[in-house]
Amino acid sequence: MCGITGILSSGAASSAGELVLEMARALRHRGPDDEGVWADASRGIALGHRRLSILDLSPAGHQPMVSAGGRYVLVYNGEIYNHLDLRQQLAAVGGVQPSWRGHSDTETLLAAIEAWGLARALSAAKGMFALALWDRQRDVLLLARDRMGEKPLYYGWQGGAFLFGSELKALRTHPAFAAEIDRGALALFLRHNCIPAPYSIYRGIHKLPAGCWLEVSLAQPATEPVPYWQLAAVAARGVAQPFGGGDADALTALETVMSAAVRSQMLADVPLGALLSGGIDSSLICALMQAHSATPIKTFTIGFAEKELNEADHARAVAQHLGTEHTELILHARDALALIPALPTVWDEPFADSSQLPTCLVMQLAHRQVAVALSGDGGDELFCGYNRYAHVPRLVRRLGWMPTRLRRLAGALLTSIPAPALNSGLHSLGARCGVTAAGDKAHKLGQKLRTVDFSTVAGVYQSLLTEWPDAAALVIDGYIPTNLLDDRDRHPALANPVAGMMALDSLVYLPDDILVKIDRAAMAVSLETRAPFLDRDLLEFGWRLPLHFKQRHGQGKWLLRRLLERHVPPALTDRPKAGFAIPLDAWLRGALRDWAEALLAEDRLQREGFFHADPIRAAWDKHCSGRENHGARLWSVLMFQSWLEANT
């Protein structure tokens, strides 16, 4: 795991190496073990690298790395899990064993590119990565990103220079960087709590979409990303060519492919562990890791002081059953307050998934003992784990018939009752159904009844991924740029609406929210995280499984649960999905109130000139009074304000 950056420019080429060194040093947290720069002033190219040594800790893994034939120079961030297999393939093709300098996957990837070309090498590689490759023969720079978007890569032209880097803080170091905030991206951020690719918070700077590569040169500066792998195509192909076996066959096949994915991602020359929440996905990853380990693996959990949100007891029970070496930490409001000043540095563009707070702390906890941690991220999207996969079709069936006027009237009735009163009235019902804060959820349903068309799954689904429905109107000169969620013509062509939601979550929510959260929190403390559920073979197998293997009797992850039962008793993990939520609503009224009030002050909002102050102040006043819960909405504004304060 590393940080990469670079410049391609025809002007001031002689200073490019020095500039890139400073850009790379802005990424020191991503790679504290080594740094390197390669530059060719005559071609205007300079590549920078910060190294976190995971495989081959020797100088043989140093980057930038020049290919054996001298044509290519590579800077690369990530891991190629099948790199040893690739070495065997390379030897078999030519019949001659290459003369390897070391055993790093960087050298393997570079040799594959030199032997096969970038397109074939990307197709053959299984892993997570972002890379920049300079072709000295063609004077062309090529950028590429892994299939699911685990590793970040920003790029764009600024003042005649093409800049790229793992994080925006590297690009901001360059003197030509304009740092002009994109108000369309800001509106998308308020709507979704994150900024979806290809946008970034800055005009002219883009994120390379997952599964794509990009070619750029001084002779051809304008270019578009080219996909080499597409999740939508994998999903469509899997649905068209489904797995044909029965339950026992599917369970055996799943265990084979999952076990292989976990085993391949345990390859490391440094201490390794796992993040354990006690849920289905992380428990299964830990169980399979322990099955492949001769000694107890290390597991890490964050809990909450608030009992209704705390799942640390469940994680501890799973760890005890598996025999892992377990460490846990309980999060209090004071811990969140102490961590908040660092958030704009960890996520150096606005990011507002409030589970970022416990995520940061669990990464800090793990980093004290290991350099690599496996996680269960990606399991919900692939195996039908989110509650919305059951709730959305049910809402459409039950509410889609309602005429618009009646629906809005029902919504007005629900929202006219203060949220605390609803919580009190629905507490016993929610407890019986395994639902926390049932009144808050009913209040949110009332808000959606007033604004959302419940006649289509797509409309209800999109509303669930929307925090501020009027986000563009909230931003001064705001607008909503073209994006995948709004452009339904580009949605995956899957007949089953549940499969369609799963695919969209894999294309948008997973790479733009979940994986951003994990990558930045982990790399802020120089910890590498790996997600076996995002293994290429497991993804392709998962999409071949008909939906009844994933959702059965109203419950998601049916087949995963059966596999987990081979390792962990169901009583330890069989409970309603809780997520990684924090008591944000209560904290904003309590320990975080003064901090939030300062950032949301009316005169400050007006002076800065990004938001219309009235709707924000109205939401804040209602929240503080307890009449309504707007914690998630306000968190997005607070995270932008905090980021703005730290970056201007």
Side-chain angles (χ1 to χ4, degrees):
M1 195 65 60
C2 307
I4 66 173
T5 190
I7 305 170
L8 178 62
S9 174
S10 58
S14 61
S15 64
E18 297 175 5
L19 288 172
V20 163
L21 181 60
E22 292 304 309
M23 293 168 70
R25 287 176 175 171
L27 302 174
R28 187 183 185 280
H29 55 287
R30 296 189 73 92
D33 299 328
D34 189 20
E35 71 179 8
V37 170
W38 180 93
D40 184 341
S42 66
R43 297 293 186 266
I45 182 69
L47 307 176
H49 188 263
R50 290 293 314 197
R51 185 184 182 195
L52 175 61
S53 301
I54 301 295
L55 290 175
D56 192 348
L57 311 186
S58 76
H62 175 80
Q63 297 184 48
M65 185 178 290
V66 180
S67 65
R71 175 175 175 177
Y72 297 105
V73 187
L74 176 70
V75 285
Y76 149 73
N77 163 33
E79 301 291 346
I80 305 300
Y81 303 124
N82 66 332
H83 89 97
L84 296 178
D85 292 337
L86 293 181
R87 290 195 172 201
Q88 293 180 353
Q89 293 176 36
L90 288 165
V93 169
V96 178
Q97 180 68 34
S99 178
W100 300 107
R101 292 165 279 181
H103 64 272
S104 75
D105 58 336
T106 307
E107 187 181 2
T108 307
L109 179 60
L110 193 52
I113 292 170
E114 189 163 56
W116 302 332
L118 180 62
R120 181 179 168 187
L122 292 174
S123 296
K126 299 179 185 178
M128 56 177 182
F129 53 83
L131 63 86
L133 181 76
W134 177 248
D135 185 339
R136 301 170 77 179
Q137 180 175 306
R138 298 174 55 223
D139 287 344
V140 165
L141 177 66
L142 300 112
L143 307 180
R145 195 175 177 206
D146 64 65
R147 291 172 176 82
M148 295 300 293
E150 291 185 72
K151 295 294 101 186
L153 190 54
Y154 294 85
Y155 70 92
W157 289 93
Q158 296 278 288
F162 182 83
L163 312 177
F164 71 86
S166 298
E167 297 182 21
L168 288 171
K169 53 177 62 72
L171 280 64
R172 280 198 299 264
T173 303
H174 193 281
F177 193 77
E180 180 184 354
I181 290 176
D182 185 329
R183 292 175 186 255
L186 177 55
L188 282 174
F189 166 68
L190 291 184
R191 196 169 78 168
H192 301 301
N193 292 333
C194 61
I195 300 174
Y199 304 105
S200 84
I201 191 60
Y202 295 119
R203 287 178 61 85
I205 301 297
H206 310 284
K207 300 183 184 86
L208 186 63
C212 288
W213 61 276
L214 179 79
E215 179 178 308
V216 63
S217 68
L218 295 177
Q220 187 179 2
T223 186
E224 291 293 328
V226 177
Y228 66 88
W229 188 89
Q230 295 177 288
L231 186 280
V234 169
R237 185 167 60 249
V239 170
Q241 302 171 355
F243 180 83
D247 290 354
D249 301 318
L251 186 58
T252 299
L254 175 62
E255 183 166 34
T256 298
V257 70
M258 271 212 70
S259 183
V262 170
R263 185 172 60 250
S264 71
Q265 295 196 21
M266 293 177 69
L267 180 65
D269 294 331
V270 292
L272 177 142
L275 309 178
L276 176 61
S277 70
I280 301 298
D281 303 333
S282 64
S283 296
L284 182 54
I285 296 299
C286 291
L288 294 175
M289 288 179 68
Q290 191 59 72
H292 290 303
S293 177
T295 59
I297 65 169
K298 296 178 183 293
T299 54
F300 306 91
T301 294
I302 289 289
F304 298 97
E306 291 77 5
K307 291 184 179 180
E308 67 275 12
L309 294 173
N310 185 36
E311 292 197 305
D313 292 346
H314 302 300
R316 189 185 316 118
V318 172
Q320 289 173 348
H321 177 79
L322 294 175
T324 74
E325 185 179 327
H326 190 61
T327 305
E328 68 180 45
L329 178 70
I330 301 300
L331 175 63
H332 297 265
R334 63 178 179 271
D335 303 311
L337 188 60
L339 185 59
I340 279 172
L343 297 183
T345 302
V346 174
W347 288 272
D348 62 349
E349 70 175 345
F351 183 77
D353 181 332
S354 61
S355 63
Q356 65 198 114
L357 290 165
T359 301
C360 272
L361 289 173
V362 77
M363 298 305 179
Q364 293 175 10
L365 184 68
H367 175 61
R368 296 170 191 166
Q369 300 185 46
V370 300
V372 177
L374 274 63
S375 78
D377 294 294
D380 285 311
E381 293 82 359
L382 187 59
F383 287 95
C384 204
Y386 290 129
N387 292 331
R388 56 176 165 262
Y389 300 146
H391 293 340
V392 171
R394 187 180 302 127
L395 287 170
V396 171
R397 288 195 303 270
R398 294 179 178 178
L399 302 175
W401 63 269
M402 295 177 69
T404 301
R405 290 183 63 184
L406 180 59
R407 174 171 49 79
R408 290 176 178 172
L409 180 63
L413 179 62
L414 276 175
T415 54
S416 68
I417 306 172
L422 278 172
N423 273 329
S424 177
L426 296 176
H427 175 73
S428 59
L429 175 62
R432 288 197 301 272
C433 299
V435 176
T436 59
D440 289 344
K441 289 178 171 59
H443 212 269
K444 291 178 180 178
L445 174 61
Q447 294 171 347
K448 293 188 184 301
L449 282 169
R450 297 168 63 181
T451 58
V452 176
D453 179 5
F454 275 76
S455 65
T456 67
V457 166
V460 179
Y461 167 79
Q462 184 165 342
S463 76
L464 295 179
L465 298 186
T466 296
E467 207 57 67
W468 290 91
D470 53 350
L474 202 68
V475 178
I476 296 173
D477 297 327
Y479 64 98
I480 298 293
T482 301
N483 64 92
L484 180 58
L485 281 179
D486 287 336
D487 189 355
R488 295 184 187 177
D489 290 339
R490 291 196 294 138
H491 287 190
L494 302 174
N496 188 295
V498 174
M501 287 189 287
M502 293 165 58
L504 280 172
D505 277 337
S506 298
L507 290 167
V508 180
Y509 180 62
L510 178 63
D512 295 327
D513 185 313
I514 301 300
L515 297 182
V516 169
K517 176 181 66 179
I518 295 298
D519 174 82
R520 305 306 191 278
M523 294 310 299
V525 294
S526 306
L527 175 72
E528 174 172 307
T529 51
R530 300 175 177 178
F533 279 108
L534 303 184
D535 173 81
R536 183 192 70 187
D537 294 342
L538 180 54
L539 283 166
E540 294 179 351
F541 171 75
W543 276 105
R544 290 187 59 226
L545 285 173
L547 192 59
H548 70 269
F549 286 119
K550 304 175 184 181
Q551 189 182 62
R552 195 177 294 190
H553 310 306
Q555 189 178 57
K557 299 182 183 176
W558 184 85
L559 194 63
L560 280 187
R561 293 172 189 271
R562 304 292 82 77
L563 179 55
L564 181 59
E565 287 171 5
R566 293 183 171 183
H567 302 272
V568 177
L572 298 184
T573 57
D574 192 9
R575 60 186 183 278
K577 184 174 179 60
F580 209 11
I582 66 171
L584 181 62
D585 296 339
W587 287 0
L588 286 176
R589 296 188 187 102
L592 303 183
R593 182 164 180 168
D594 291 343
W595 165 79
E597 179 63 54
L599 290 173
L600 300 179
E602 184 173 4
D603 60 339
R604 178 172 184 161
L605 293 172
Q606 292 173 343
R607 181 177 66 254
E608 290 168 343
F610 289 102
F611 299 126
H612 295 288
D614 289 348
I616 293 173
R617 291 299 308 180
W620 176 239
D621 291 342
K622 290 176 182 177
H623 185 83
C624 290
S625 71
R627 298 194 306 274
E628 297 178 6
N629 284 331
H630 293 299
R633 288 186 179 183
L634 292 164
W635 189 250
S636 64
V637 180
L638 289 166
M639 285 295 95
F640 176 79
Q641 292 292 95
S642 181
W643 173 86
L644 186 67
E645 183 176 65
N647 289 281
T648 54

